[in-house]
Amino acid sequence: MSGLKVLVVDDDMINRKLMAAMLKKNPIIGDIVEASDGQEAITLLRDLDDIDLVLLDIIMPIMDGIAVLQIMNADPKMQNIPVIVLTTDETKKTEALNSGANDFIAKPVRENDIMGKIERLSTL
């Protein structure tokens, strides 16, 4: 395995760049793909059949993270891709997990938190 292909979905470019910088430090991460909203994320997930993990912001314009989770769960091609939800809104945690997220991280994301969760999910 040449490393995990991770889709980072966040409407804030700085957050995406920070996540990508953190991920690049980890040898288990291969490719990093970025999407700036939920609609773009769903398009990428439909077009690319090799995404191993999604890091998903909840609060975004166009399509929020909960809608992305619902679409992923309804699609057999996407429903087994692990998703870690990232948000500043702790009240969304239960809704995200009920909508199919595998894990939850409150922003600001700390590198050791995200890496621990990615390593745990990648061994499932």
Side-chain angles (χ1 to χ4, degrees):
M1 189 168 152
S2 61
L4 299 174
K5 187 165 189 172
V6 180
L7 173 58
V8 177
V9 187
D10 197 313
D11 58 312
D12 185 319
M13 188 188 78
I14 293 166
N15 287 343
R16 289 197 311 273
K17 297 300 173 207
L18 282 169
M19 286 303 309
M22 278 188 233
L23 295 170
K24 284 178 184 154
K25 294 180 189 173
N26 193 309
I28 69 166
I29 307 294
D31 288 335
I32 300 162
V33 183
E34 295 181 17
S36 58
D37 61 63
Q39 189 68 60
E40 188 181 350
I42 292 298
T43 301
L44 285 166
L45 286 163
R46 286 189 174 132
D47 292 348
L48 305 171
D49 58 3
D50 60 348
I51 300 284
D52 297 304
L53 176 74
V54 179
L55 299 177
L56 180 65
D57 186 24
I58 291 290
I59 303 163
M60 296 182 290
I62 304 170
M63 181 189 293
D64 71 4
I66 300 296
V68 171
L69 286 166
Q70 290 164 345
I71 291 168
M72 286 180 72
N73 275 335
D75 187 328
K77 193 179 143 205
M78 294 186 238
Q79 63 192 187
N80 295 322
I81 301 170
V83 179
I84 300 175
V85 169
L86 316 167
T87 189
T88 51
D89 186 350
E90 286 278 346
T91 65
K92 298 281 186 192
K93 180 176 184 176
T94 304
E95 186 181 5
L97 294 172
N98 289 344
S99 297
N102 298 78
D103 215 328
F104 181 93
I105 296 180
K107 289 179 177 179
V109 175
R110 285 180 293 289
E111 194 171 330
N112 55 349
D113 288 351
I114 192 86
M115 288 309 159
K117 289 176 189 280
I118 288 172
E119 284 169 20
R120 189 179 61 74
L121 282 174
S122 68
T123 57
L124 294 179

